[in-house]
Amino acid sequence: MEVFCRMAWLVLIVAGLLEVVWALGLKYTQGFSRLLPSVVTVIAMIGSMLLLERAARALPIGTAYAVWVGIGALGAAIGGAFLFGEGLTFRRLAFVVLLIVSIVGLKLTSASTT
């Protein structure tokens, strides 16, 4: 049971990373008019959703969804700053840190549903 729960967290992290890929990929698709970025983005979307569903089998859905969104938001904010020159001010960085604290807090206070 413990191994299954740990595996669910790993699956959830991968799902969140795929969410980062598709969120950042949206910028490259140019309205889904560019084939390769569009294909990568759609595949990442599908994979992210499927893995979220798989993780939610063992984790509370509220926790799984919040962590998934948090990883995506965190990755999109950092990726946007580095890839697209979007500002990363002290205030934005402070909220990114809050996201990290929230994700870790959810992990530490979560119990499996199975």
Side-chain angles (χ1 to χ4, degrees), residues 21-26 29 32 36-46:
V21 170
W22 71 255
L24 295 172
L26 288 172
T29 67
F32 291 99
L36 184 58
S38 297
V39 169
V40 169
T41 299
V42 169
I43 289 171
M45 284 177 177
I46 293 168

Side-chain angles (χ1 to χ4, degrees), residues 8-105:
W9 279 102
L10 179 62
V11 168
L12 182 59
I13 290 168
V14 174
L17 294 174
L18 284 173
E19 184 188 7
V20 173
V21 170
W22 71 255
L24 295 172
L26 288 172
K27 277 276 223 195
Y28 292 106
T29 67
Q30 295 180 355
F32 291 99
S33 65
R34 297 179 61 212
L35 181 61
L36 184 58
S38 297
V39 169
V40 169
T41 299
V42 169
I43 289 171
M45 284 177 177
I46 293 168
S48 181
M49 292 287 179
L50 290 174
L51 291 177
L52 173 61
E53 181 277 327
R54 179 67 64 173
R57 291 180 185 185
L59 302 172
I61 188 61
T63 300
Y65 184 73
V67 169
W68 179 74
V69 168
I71 292 170
L74 175 66
I78 293 171
F82 287 104
L83 295 173
F84 308 120
E86 298 171 357
L88 197 57
T89 64
F90 175 76
R91 288 179 182 164
R92 286 188 72 173
L93 197 53
F95 284 110
V96 165
V97 169
L98 284 174
L99 269 172
I100 294 169
V101 170
S102 297
I103 292 167
V104 171

